[in-house]
Amino acid sequence: MRDQAIGQPDVASLALAEPTRHVRYRWIVGLTLASLGMWMATQTPLNVMLALQLQAITPAHKVVALAVVTGVGAISSALATPVVGALSDRTAHGRRIGRFSGRRHRWTLVMVVLAAVCMVLLAKQATVLGVTLLWFLFSGFQNGEFATLSAAVPDHVPVRQRATVSGWVGMPIALGLVLGSILVVDVLNQDLAAGYIALAVLMVALALPFVLFTPDYPLAPQDRKPFSWRRVASSYWISPREYPDFGWAWLTRFLASLSIAMGTLYLLYFLRDVVHYARLFPGQTAADGLLILILIYTGCVVLTSIVGGIISDRRGRRKMMVTVSGLLMAAAALLLTFWETWPAALGAAVLYGMGYGAYIAVDQALITQVLPQARDRAKDLGIINIAIVCPGAIGAVIAAPVVSLAGYSALFGATAVVAIAASLGVWRIKSVR
């Protein structure tokens, strides 16, 4: 099938129209690479590097410190994404800057460069305050990039191809963690400074092919909404009464993301302090055990995100697959609730990977089908992103006292309850099968 092409006579309609032609594989590869660099730079610190860095800075208060840093980053992400999305939505073609005549790519490039600078500076931090400040800035810029990359799917991909593309583009969330963890833990031997710099370079390098070599539809000046700070503030709200399906999609994504945040934030400490991985396998560290779990989980994510997306597109059914995938994630949490052992952790990695892989493909496609207006795609996806990143802060606030007062089994049990609620809530969405 042919790529969509920018024709000068119908520029305005292409920017706001519903796509009808399938995108080609080279377009998908470009967006996947950009997503891979972004998620490598985000997930590796969240799951490995920040925990190690804060453990070295304040070993007695590492649990609270990690909760504060990730929570502050989540708040920054929630603040930044709708604003950058709204700004890209209203960027008219105006003056051409090289290839950058459209709405998204110029913002993607600026955001990724600023995020990379923050990551390089983060490599030199030796205080909790320094780590918190740089992670706050990095999270804002990274999620600005995420807002523009996310909008590329409803901008260019027709509904009948969206779960397949979302599977490929969502897969780097897991693959980026695996590649980043191998880079930091094995190749760089847990040298955090070198790891941060390497991730910053890769983040920029992998974004460039998509930014430089794929089309970006311009918005005609007459279609641009007038700018006002009041309008920017309103970017954070869409009435669930007026758009109930969007409201339910937001809530179920929030609950699913909350279960993910609660279940994974302290996994490194769980392996170290409860499973006693280093005692089970002399000569290895908990970080080595985490890498094994990540590898297993990623293999399952890659398989189910692609296969699940293809099946969902062919059948045209989204909600049942979202429900099943959420229940698989709940089963993973229940496994760790009752068996705090290394074999249970291996089984949970399989279940979690299978569930999460299908979830990121199908649920993202479902969300793009309930966006209120074409002219606000990036802003509205930014609001959805609040449902993804805010649970990082809320999950940390919930998880830290639960672990301190009741232990990890209580934390994983609560994680399962939240995942089940997310699985069932998706059936309140009426406009998608």
Side-chain angles (χ1 to χ4, degrees):
M1 293 179 220
R2 293 183 300 164
D3 278 321
Q4 293 164 287
I6 297 179
Q8 199 60 31
D10 58 349
V11 157
S13 64
L14 281 176
L16 300 178
E18 189 69 22
T20 58
R21 298 181 181 177
H22 281 201
V23 291
R24 287 190 176 184
Y25 287 113
R26 62 173 175 266
W27 187 94
I28 300 173
V29 169
L31 183 56
T32 301
L33 287 176
S35 300
L36 178 62
M38 181 183 69
W39 290 120
M40 283 180 67
T42 305
Q43 296 286 8
T44 310
L46 276 174
N47 288 272
V48 180
M49 298 170 72
L50 288 175
L52 293 173
Q53 190 172 13
L54 292 170
Q55 181 175 287
I57 294 172
T58 175
H61 304 98
K62 62 187 180 184
V63 171
V64 174
L66 183 59
V68 169
V69 172
T70 55
V72 166
I75 293 170
S76 173
S77 303
L79 292 173
T81 317
V83 172
V84 176
L87 291 172
S88 74
D89 281 333
R90 67 178 301 278
T91 299
H93 57 81
R95 181 179 178 183
R96 176 182 289 270
I97 305 173
R99 290 183 58 87
F100 303 111
S101 62
R103 296 193 291 170
R104 315 294 186 196
H105 285 348
R106 65 185 77 189
W107 287 99
T108 301
L109 185 61
V110 170
M111 292 295 108
V112 74
V113 169
L114 290 174
V117 170
C118 291
M119 180 149 281
V120 170
L121 295 175
L122 184 60
K124 301 179 180 296
Q125 301 308 306
T127 66
V128 174
L129 178 61
V131 172
T132 302
L133 176 60
L134 267 300
W135 190 250
F136 176 87
L137 294 173
F138 169 82
S139 297
F141 295 133
Q142 176 265 318
N143 277 274
E145 179 195 8
F146 182 41
T148 59
L149 292 179
S150 298
V153 175
D155 279 352
H156 295 266
V157 183
V159 168
R160 63 182 180 275
Q161 195 188 14
R162 281 187 191 169
T164 301
V165 173
S166 295
W168 281 101
V169 175
M171 177 183 63
I173 299 176
L175 186 60
L177 174 58
V178 132
L179 296 178
S181 298
I182 291 173
L183 176 65
V184 172
V185 175
D186 291 339
V187 177
L188 298 176
N189 197 27
Q190 300 186 30
D191 184 335
L192 297 184
Y196 278 126
I197 293 170
L199 291 174
V201 172
L202 288 170
M203 187 180 189
V204 176
L206 292 176
L208 289 178
F210 185 71
V211 166
L212 296 178
F213 302 115
T214 64
D216 184 19
Y217 300 156
L219 180 70
Q222 64 268 23
D223 291 324
R224 179 174 56 186
K225 289 183 177 180
F227 177 84
S228 72
W229 288 110
R230 184 175 182 178
R231 189 179 295 276
V232 170
S234 70
S235 299
Y236 293 92
W237 175 252
I238 292 178
S239 171
R241 183 173 302 224
E242 187 175 357
Y243 301 102
D245 283 355
F246 184 86
W248 281 108
W250 190 96
L251 180 60
T252 55
R253 175 59 72 94
F254 176 88
L255 291 173
S257 300
L258 180 60
S259 71
I260 293 165
M262 292 170 60
T264 61
L265 180 62
Y266 293 123
L267 195 53
L268 179 66
Y269 298 157
F270 172 74
L271 292 178
R272 173 183 161 147
D273 301 331
V274 178
V275 175
H276 302 294
Y277 184 86
R279 189 186 305 168
L280 290 174
F281 304 98
Q284 297 189 39
T285 66
D288 296 315
L290 180 61
L291 180 58
I292 292 172
L293 296 183
I294 291 171
L295 286 169
I296 295 171
Y297 145 83
T298 300
C300 295
V301 168
V302 170
L303 177 63
T304 57
S305 64
I306 296 171
V307 174
I310 292 172
I311 292 173
S312 179
D313 278 339
R314 288 182 177 178
R315 297 185 62 191
R317 303 179 68 88
R318 312 287 194 207
K319 291 188 288 191
M320 179 57 73
M321 293 197 67
V322 170
T323 298
V324 171
S325 62
L327 292 177
L328 284 173
M329 290 190 285
L334 287 174
L335 191 60
L336 293 178
T337 300
F338 297 106
W339 294 280
E340 295 179 326
T341 64
W342 175 241
L346 293 173
V350 173
L351 291 173
Y352 181 71
M354 291 176 63
Y356 187 59
Y359 183 86
I360 58 178
V362 182
D363 189 66
Q364 185 65 21
L366 183 152
I367 285 170
T368 64
Q369 293 178 240
V370 298
L371 297 178
Q373 298 183 51
R375 66 175 63 249
D376 294 325
R377 285 168 180 154
K379 185 267 290 183
D380 294 343
L381 285 169
I383 294 175
I384 290 292
N385 194 48
I386 293 176
I388 299 173
V389 299
C390 273
I394 298 171
V397 170
I398 295 172
V402 169
V403 169
S404 300
L405 297 175
Y408 286 96
S409 60
L411 174 64
F412 291 126
T415 299
V417 171
V418 176
I420 291 170
S423 300
L424 299 179
V426 74
W427 290 94
R428 298 301 298 269
I429 299 172
K430 304 300 183 184
S431 62
V432 180
R433 288 193 297 161

